[in-house]
Amino acid sequence: MSQQDDVRDVMLAAVPSLRAFAISLCGNVDRADDLVQETLLRAWANLSSFQPGTNMSAWLFTILRNLFRSEYRKRRHEVEDVDGSYADSLASLPDQNSRLELGEFRKALKLLPPDQRESLILVGASGFSYEEAAQICGCAVGTIKSRVNRARTRLAEILSIDGASDFGPDRETRAVVNLP
Amino acid sequence: MTKGGRLQPKTKTDVRGCKTNSVVKLGPDIKAKIGQQLRVMYSEVVDQGVPDRFVEMLKRLDDPTNRGSKK
């Protein structure tokens, strides 16, 4: 029982990040939450296949990704309605600039091929190593590295970043620019 | 361009400083900026914490009197 409690705690702790990943995959909060729920149920039912001592978070991400992939293939016609429900469901950002900037960034992210997008998010946002991301996506480490690099390059192109300053002012920039 | 998926050590640019190749080594500023945006986007969701439905669901799974699909 205590072992089950431990597992439950780890799963619970993974939920926020699983949701963020799921939303980035399907762009719809309700569907993402269903996906996370399904992931947890699957994981629970297949706990015996989890190897103790390995990264449970990566294991959960793997399950979620596989579920999404199989579901996505079935539902290819009803793709990502992102801008509406996703953006509206989120807490407001500190200022208008950041909000606009993030909106542009989200749109740009949507234009990436799914493989590149998920790799970039796993490494750049979820905090997984290249090795863990490769395990989650079932591919070679070099493949992840190349996808992440291509994703960054493409994003920079879409957002027309020739230098960081073109991305719009951030806190650091504002601090450096220093008003008179 | 070399084969094997390795990046060239330096960015290929023409005289105007424009990219001339699809494989471009991005500067640390741009990587940092993209990374920052990614994390802001991600943490907007993460900061919402765990919605009640998941707390309830996991609690039910753990309940020994639960007659659900637990194996």
Side-chain angles (χ1 to χ4, degrees):
Chain A
M1 187 63 198
S2 74
Q3 202 187 342
Q4 286 190 347
D5 279 347
D6 287 348
V7 170
R8 190 198 56 183
D9 287 348
V10 174
M11 284 185 173
L12 211 51
V15 165
S17 193
L18 284 169
R19 291 183 74 229
F21 182 55
I23 289 172
S24 76
L25 290 180
C26 43
N28 173 301
V29 178
D30 291 335
R31 244 185 94 195
D33 279 347
D34 288 346
L35 191 58
V36 172
Q37 176 152 341
E38 179 86 29
T39 299
L40 297 174
L41 289 169
R42 285 281 175 103
W44 192 262
N46 293 287
L47 260 187
S48 56
S49 70
F50 173 70
Q51 298 187 311
T54 62
N55 186 338
M56 180 173 274
S57 180
W59 183 63
L60 293 171
F61 271 70
T62 309
I63 295 172
L64 187 145
R65 179 187 177 274
N66 290 342
L67 278 172
F68 174 72
R69 288 274 162 145
S70 51
E71 187 200 14
Y72 186 75
R73 253 174 253 138
K74 273 183 264 163
R75 298 204 208 176
R76 196 162 292 208
H77 53 285
E78 50 161 286
V79 205
E80 316 175 355
D81 69 348
V82 195
D83 297 323
S85 68
Y86 178 25
D88 290 350
S89 73
L90 297 170
S92 60
L93 283 162
D95 63 60
Q96 193 67 18
N97 254 349
S98 318
R99 192 192 299 243
L100 285 171
E101 192 177 293
L102 196 59
E104 290 301 306
F105 184 79
R106 264 199 203 103
K107 276 185 209 157
L109 206 56
K110 291 290 149 210
L111 298 174
L112 297 180
D115 285 349
Q116 289 180 26
R117 188 167 61 224
E118 73 179 4
S119 300
L120 181 68
I121 285 166
L122 287 171
V123 171
S126 311
F128 288 111
S129 65
Y130 285 115
E131 288 74 15
E132 287 167 334
Q135 184 200 324
I136 291 167
C137 299
C139 66
V141 176
T143 307
I144 293 290
K145 286 184 179 172
S146 125
R147 282 177 188 167
V148 169
N149 187 60
R150 272 182 285 147
R152 283 181 178 138
T153 306
R154 185 84 186 97
L155 278 181
E157 280 168 9
I158 296 167
L159 296 162
S160 307
I161 320 171
D162 295 319
S165 57
D166 289 358
F167 216 129
D170 58 13
R171 279 184 209 91
E172 295 91 279
T173 313
R174 275 184 235 122
V176 170
V177 166
N178 215 357
L179 295 167
Chain B
M1 192 168 87
T2 52
K3 279 280 177 190
R6 303 243 351 234
L7 284 171
Q8 297 289 1
K10 57 183 181 231
T11 306
K12 287 192 175 179
T13 56
D14 65 17
V15 283
R16 293 160 300 157
C18 296
K19 297 160 192 167
T20 56
N21 197 306
S22 62
V23 180
V24 174
K25 177 98 175 162
L26 294 174
D29 282 359
I30 295 170
K31 277 191 190 174
K33 195 68 209 179
I34 290 174
Q36 185 207 20
Q37 292 288 309
L38 274 175
R39 287 189 296 274
V40 168
M41 189 191 78
Y42 205 78
S43 64
E44 275 204 309
V45 181
V46 170
D47 290 349
Q48 293 173 356
V50 183
D52 289 343
R53 77 184 263 191
F54 297 107
V55 179
E56 291 303 314
M57 192 205 88
L58 285 166
K59 210 185 283 174
R60 260 181 279 127
L61 287 175
D62 243 5
D63 185 345
T65 63
N66 173 38
R67 279 167 291 171
S69 58
K70 198 173 78 181
K71 282 172 187 154

